[in-house]
Amino acid sequence: MFSKACEYGIKASIFIAINSFEGKRVSPKEIAKEIDSPQAFTAKILQALVRHGVINSVKGAYGGFEINKKDIAAIRLSQIVNAIDGDKIYKGCGLGLHTCDESRPCPVHDKFKIVRDELKDMLENTSLEELAFNIKSGTTFLKSIA
């Protein structure tokens, strides 16, 4: 459903939020290790998140990535997805056709439109704070069991 970059972006944002609640900044190396992503790829994803105002980058000896605590509740999953993948997730064809719309629908167009609309609603109504708290409480997890 999401690109690999977007998956990493969501995981990184959650990890940064958890650490930001504790007043900690995290390095790209720490983030890459935690989300099991190549460090160079993670750095590019983090740059996109900074450019879109999802996370903050602080340079220097005590630098790293953080999110202002007061902003974590306002950040929506849709902002992270948009920063990495844009809005194509809301517009793409379920079968990957280049031309698929109301006037020339693919066989799954109407059903897929419902799924896309529900996904958009979920992304716009899920806060980064909610996801971070679920990780902290142990009800959800960022890593698979090996």
Side-chain angles (χ1 to χ4, degrees):
M1 174 101 2
F2 300 117
S3 70
K4 189 53 92 173
C6 192
E7 290 175 11
Y8 289 146
I10 293 168
K11 291 177 185 179
S13 297
I14 295 169
F15 180 66
I16 295 166
I18 291 168
N19 282 277
S20 294
F21 277 128
E22 298 171 1
K24 298 178 192 170
R25 292 183 184 127
V26 287
S27 72
K29 185 176 182 178
E30 291 173 287
I31 296 165
K33 183 178 180 204
E34 178 65 24
I35 67 172
D36 198 25
S37 168
Q39 194 170 338
F41 191 40
T42 302
K44 288 182 181 185
I45 294 165
L46 295 171
Q47 289 170 354
L49 293 170
V50 168
R51 273 195 312 275
H52 282 84
V54 175
I55 64 175
N56 302 314
S57 175
V58 178
K59 300 199 183 314
Y62 299 101
F65 293 92
E66 66 181 8
I67 303 170
N68 292 330
K69 287 182 193 180
K70 61 179 175 39
D71 295 337
I72 296 172
I75 296 171
R76 299 289 178 240
L77 202 48
S78 59
Q79 292 170 262
I80 300 166
V81 172
N82 187 56
I84 307 298
D85 282 351
D87 64 356
K88 66 183 176 189
I89 195 165
Y90 309 123
K91 298 178 179 179
C93 171
L95 296 180
L97 301 179
H98 293 288
T99 305
C100 175
D101 55 31
E102 301 296 323
S103 65
R104 190 166 166 80
C106 76
V108 299
H109 180 80
D110 292 334
K111 292 181 186 281
F112 195 69
K113 187 175 183 323
I114 294 167
V115 171
R116 270 198 325 251
D117 290 346
E118 288 180 9
L119 176 63
K120 185 175 183 181
D121 184 61
M122 183 275 292
L123 293 173
E124 290 176 348
N125 290 295
T126 301
S127 73
L128 187 56
E129 179 181 60
E130 175 186 343
L131 300 175
F133 280 150
N134 288 341
I135 297 288
K136 289 276 296 168
S137 70
T139 57
T140 61
F141 305 91
L142 270 181
K143 290 184 173 184
S144 300
I145 296 175

